[in-house]
Amino acid sequence: MAVTTVAAPPSLPAHIAAETQAFLDAPALLQELSHGLGGPYHALFPERFDTNARAFTAVLEEAGVAGRVYFAKKANKAAVFAERAAVLGLGVDVASHGELREALAAGVAGADLVVTGPAKSDVLLRVAVLQGALVAVDALDELERLTAIAAELGRVSRVLLRVLPGGQPHSRFGMSPEELRTALGRTDGLHVEGFSFHLSGYDPQARADLAGELVGLCREARGLGLRADRISIGGGFAVDYVGGDDWRRFQREQLPEHFHAGKSFHGGFYPYHSPVAGAEALRAVLAATPKGERAPLSALLRDAGVALLVEPGRALLDQAGCTVFRVQGVKERDGHGILTVDGSSLSLSEQWFDSEFLPDPVLVPNGPRERRTHPACVGAATCLESDMLTWRTVPFPHRPQVGDLLVYLNTSGYQMDSNESPFHELPLPPKVVVEAAPGSPRPRWRLDRHP
């Protein structure tokens, strides 16, 4: 009788920036934090955030385009990133009263905030008006409430009018052309500074096409006596997590048998390799020629005297953090290992999207170990069959043991706290800020100031 063998699962190593490597090169520090904090934790690298922010700003300057970079705070709750945004002169994009309050506490001026999100609460709108924040108005009823609040306060509210993308007519964000015309006729007590949109996907051409339409709307609005000198194209700048060759090999070689219990993901996976990512994606948007135009978007913006606002979250957080779990159980099942770690899949939020965070976690052995590939999936310390951090079997270089650490790389963009929950009374992983220590090869750390 023939024996069927399953090909070994492919590895998918993540890119590792210098800040992360310095952290991994201090295994005693990782173990010390795991012991002292009593569970999993998130490590944050603010120096990498600074590098990413400067790269985005440099693209605008090189293109000769007036503009502003806003950090999308929803991508990570940590205080340190809003604090760095304030120091660097970035704005911050907030979508709730809590995010607005935290941004102000971090030192961001009210005038440097843009308030996005659908159907904003009256509390949020009231504080936004008082602080002089820019409000992206999503609907006519929101416009009416904002106008009434501004009149009650005796203030003039700064607004962008959010446009429904023509290519996404079923989107729940933005106003249709008819609603937009109505809105432009109801601007008393409002300072209309321009237009914005929310666009899914990562296609630079699609973003440039819609940006070109918004430049046209600015010209029309000026004919109505409105300021209309800026547009916001939101975020949507991809992050390159893994190398191109590794990503293509993974897509080519992965099999259903490589996933524990035959798990499949109907939602698909994030494009973990993107050849045009981060600030380079912004450069590609500016270099693209919008549909119906003869010049690139950068020239269109300059000629129209329109500033470009961008709101990256994930891209500003690229390589700015990782997540550390301790292995507290190891068993074998169906030809592969099952690791149980001291936390929950809710601390890696990709599962929220019926997907999985695919880059290989790094195993940090708690002592010398024979090198021998050992495929294993990763489960959480809860009583739910479905609570898995990694369904696929990862080819670890050693057989994991209790007390080893598992480090998920590049998790600061949306993974850390979008879906967190103290299920089973497990504490939420704290965030520690890790920075270079002058005169020492070992990094130093402190707790983030977010409560």
Side-chain angles (χ1 to χ4, degrees):
M1 181 176 177
V3 177
T4 301
T5 59
V6 177
S11 62
L12 191 58
H15 293 312
I16 303 179
E19 293 85 352
T20 305
Q21 190 61 59
F23 185 59
L24 294 175
D25 288 342
L29 173 60
L30 272 70
Q31 288 283 358
E32 177 184 309
L33 287 168
S34 177
H35 173 75
L37 297 172
Y41 60 93
H42 303 299
L44 311 177
F45 310 120
E47 292 156 339
R48 178 53 51 173
F49 179 90
D50 294 358
T51 298
N52 296 333
R54 292 188 182 107
F56 270 90
T57 302
V59 168
L60 292 173
E61 292 174 350
E62 291 165 12
V65 171
R68 187 78 184 274
V69 178
Y70 290 80
F71 166 53
K73 197 177 185 312
K74 61 182 174 288
N76 196 295
K77 294 178 183 175
V80 70
F81 297 127
E83 292 168 355
R84 294 310 306 161
V87 170
L88 295 169
L90 273 61
V92 174
D93 162 24
V94 300
S96 71
H97 181 247
E99 288 183 352
L100 189 154
R101 180 185 62 243
E102 290 297 319
L104 292 172
V108 182
D112 294 332
L113 299 175
V114 60
V115 183
T116 59
K120 304 166 193 66
S121 70
D122 285 356
V123 171
L124 174 57
L125 293 176
R126 183 181 183 85
V127 178
V129 172
L130 288 170
Q131 291 294 327
L134 183 60
V135 179
V137 176
D138 189 69
L140 290 176
D141 61 349
E142 183 175 275
L143 184 71
E144 292 174 1
R145 290 189 292 114
L146 179 60
T147 302
I149 289 170
E152 175 192 345
L153 296 173
R155 305 290 183 93
V156 175
S157 178
R158 303 169 56 218
V159 302
L160 299 173
L161 300 178
R162 180 178 278 175
V163 175
L164 173 69
Q168 296 181 359
H170 302 296
S171 171
R172 66 188 183 95
F173 301 113
M175 290 182 274
S176 68
E178 295 77 17
E179 292 168 331
L180 199 60
R181 283 194 292 271
T182 301
L184 288 171
R186 299 179 181 176
T187 59
D188 289 346
L190 303 176
H191 197 187
V192 180
E193 298 192 6
F195 301 87
S196 69
F197 61 76
H198 174 92
L199 189 64
S200 299
Y202 301 98
D203 180 13
Q205 185 61 55
R207 207 161 291 274
D209 288 343
L210 191 47
E213 293 181 24
L214 264 58
V215 171
L217 286 173
C218 283
R219 294 183 185 275
E220 293 177 21
R222 289 172 185 173
L224 300 174
L226 303 174
R227 173 176 168 177
D229 64 355
R230 62 199 61 204
I231 63 171
S232 171
I233 64 173
F237 303 101
V239 165
D240 187 40
Y241 289 87
V242 302
D245 290 342
D246 291 327
W247 180 239
R248 287 184 287 272
R249 184 179 66 253
F250 175 82
Q251 291 181 304
R252 184 174 64 249
E253 296 180 5
Q254 66 164 321
L255 299 170
E257 293 84 358
H258 293 152
F259 290 80
H260 175 65
K263 174 69 173 178
S264 60
F265 296 91
H266 303 294
F269 300 120
Y270 182 89
Y272 285 99
H273 170 65
S274 180
V276 181
E280 290 304 308
L282 174 58
R283 192 187 307 277
V285 172
L286 288 169
T289 300
K291 184 178 180 180
E293 301 291 340
R294 296 183 178 180
L297 177 62
S298 57
L300 191 63
L301 291 165
R302 289 194 301 267
D303 292 345
V306 171
L308 182 70
L309 313 183
V310 295
E311 299 155 11
R314 189 191 296 253
L316 283 178
L317 297 167
D318 183 23
Q319 297 286 350
C322 64
T323 301
V324 183
F325 297 92
R326 180 181 293 275
V327 177
Q328 61 184 33
V330 181
K331 65 170 62 173
E332 304 296 320
R333 188 77 84 243
D334 300 326
H336 63 263
I338 300 179
L339 312 184
T340 299
V341 297
D342 60 348
S344 164
S345 65
L346 298 174
S347 296
L348 286 178
S349 300
E350 204 66 29
Q351 299 286 1
W352 185 29
F353 300 100
D354 186 27
S355 187
E356 178 147 291
F357 190 71
L358 288 180
D360 291 352
V362 173
L363 181 68
V364 180
N366 188 25
R369 196 75 47 81
E370 176 189 1
R371 190 171 184 87
R372 183 181 64 185
T373 301
H374 189 86
C377 60
V378 184
T382 69
C383 62
L384 297 178
E385 192 79 67
S386 61
D387 194 3
M388 299 287 293
L389 286 85
T390 301
W391 287 88
R392 76 181 183 91
T393 51
V394 176
F396 291 107
H398 314 279
R399 187 185 189 280
Q401 294 182 7
V402 173
D404 291 349
L405 299 180
L406 212 55
V407 183
Y408 285 82
L409 304 176
N410 207 357
T411 55
S412 53
Y414 287 108
Q415 295 305 316
M416 290 184 175
D417 46 28
S418 295
N419 206 30
E420 63 186 5
S421 168
F423 184 59
H424 274 326
E425 300 296 334
L426 292 172
L428 299 180
K431 293 185 175 73
V432 296
V433 179
V434 179
E435 299 169 297
S440 173
R442 171 173 157 147
R444 62 184 179 183
W445 68 275
R446 63 173 173 82
L447 288 174
D448 180 68
R449 280 181 279 274
H450 186 273

